[in-house]
Amino acid sequence: MTTIALLGTGLLGHAIGQRLLEQGQTLKVWNRTPARISALIRAGATPIERLSEISKGCDAVITVLKDGPVTSDVVQTLGDLKGRCLIPMGTMGITESRTLATLMKSRGGTYLEAPVLGSRPEALSGSLLVMAGGEPEVFSRHQDLLGLLSAQPMLVGPVGSGAATKLALNQLIASMTHAFSISLRLVQQAEVPVETFMNILRPSALYAPTYDKKLKRMMERHYGDPNFSTALLRKDLALFLQEAIHAGLNPEGLRGLSTLLAQDKARDLDDLDYCSLHELTAQDES
């Protein structure tokens, strides 16, 4: 049994914490908003009173925080990290992740980035897709822990490779959702029944299961109870663009989508499910 410190208990972090407790792990938890750890405390977790004392009795520190800068700020406040492994599971930039790895090494700890694809349901069932980046021996040491959250955690390469893989996947979420939305709008304008369109799309090589997963929400304009918000999608697409430019790629085709997603603030879509970008592909009637 491993003792784990979990920092960040939003939608995904809370589900990860719940899963670890159900699997018999000893869990210590922290959130910037203390009320958000109350349910995990009732379920058997121990609150972390001071981040400076986090290392006491902990084998690993998992972070599920908003982004790289927030994660870095929190890690800077932690106490003795010698012999501990930092495992960030949130989305961050490649350089941000590598900087954290350097920081952990300077403080006598180890580092294993482990961003995930999936959300609350997958975390609760232990079926997240984990794409780890780091040294093989560090991955091997913590593979059993990751296996509580994923059926087959994968080591995709050195530090930075996991972050890159996660950004690439989130870019696909944004691009595919946008493409599906605007295609739906066009066929509806031409008076093609949506189900007729779907019956043609489903058996084709163009089909992706996410289309049916989001279709009902889009048609009913029901975007509440998100597992992944529009604001987070916008943030991750902007980060992908930044990393693509840094890598010498040409991401010009994505700039329009990034600009479109920037409109979600004015439309109060930030806290809704990311498929609410369907509202942005309609003709602006203002």
Side-chain angles (χ1 to χ4, degrees), residues 121-141:
E122 290 77 19
L124 292 173
S125 64
S127 58
L128 291 168
L129 298 177
V130 174
M131 53 212 85
E135 297 295 331
E137 59 270 24
V138 179
F139 174 75
S140 178
R141 194 178 311 138

Side-chain angles (χ1 to χ4, degrees), residues 38-239:
S38 57
L40 290 174
I41 300 303
R42 290 194 297 270
T46 302
I48 295 171
E49 302 293 346
R50 298 182 185 85
L51 287 177
S52 59
E53 299 178 358
I54 197 171
S55 65
K56 292 183 178 179
C58 287
D59 304 292
V61 179
I62 293 176
T63 63
V64 193
L65 298 166
K66 178 182 177 181
D67 54 26
V70 170
T71 303
S72 180
D73 287 347
V74 170
V75 172
Q76 295 280 0
T77 69
L78 303 184
D80 180 19
L81 292 171
K82 188 175 182 179
R84 309 295 185 262
C85 184
L86 177 67
I87 308 176
M89 305 194 85
T91 305
M92 67 177 69
I94 299 167
T95 301
E96 293 168 345
S97 187
R98 289 172 176 166
T99 299
L100 276 175
T102 300
L103 173 63
M104 285 300 295
K105 184 176 181 179
S106 72
R107 296 176 63 176
T110 56
Y111 184 83
L112 184 70
E113 61 182 9
V116 302
L117 190 66
S119 51
R120 178 175 171 80
E122 290 77 19
L124 292 173
S125 64
S127 58
L128 291 168
L129 298 177
V130 174
M131 53 212 85
E135 297 295 331
E137 59 270 24
V138 179
F139 174 75
S140 178
R141 194 178 311 138
H142 297 283
Q143 192 168 1
D144 287 346
L145 169 59
L146 296 178
L148 300 177
L149 303 170
S150 172
Q152 191 176 2
M154 296 179 64
L155 179 65
V156 298
V159 172
S161 62
T165 304
K166 172 60 172 170
L167 286 175
L169 291 168
N170 280 17
Q171 183 276 129
L172 286 174
I173 292 173
S175 292
M176 291 173 69
T177 304
H178 172 256
F180 183 53
S181 169
I182 201 163
S183 290
L184 281 177
R185 296 269 186 210
L186 184 66
V187 297
Q188 285 181 291
Q189 286 287 341
E191 300 184 9
V192 177
V194 169
E195 194 54 33
T196 299
F197 174 68
M198 295 303 298
N199 286 339
I200 296 169
L201 176 62
R202 288 187 184 108
S204 78
L206 303 173
Y207 177 72
T210 188
Y211 298 154
D212 269 310
K213 184 178 179 181
K214 295 301 181 182
L215 178 61
K216 189 171 187 290
R217 276 181 173 263
M218 288 177 168
M219 292 298 94
E220 296 180 358
R221 303 179 73 179
H222 169 61
Y223 309 121
D225 306 315
N227 288 316
F228 185 50
S229 71
T230 312
L232 289 176
L233 185 68
R234 183 184 70 245
K235 180 265 296 181
D236 289 351
L237 182 60
L239 192 52

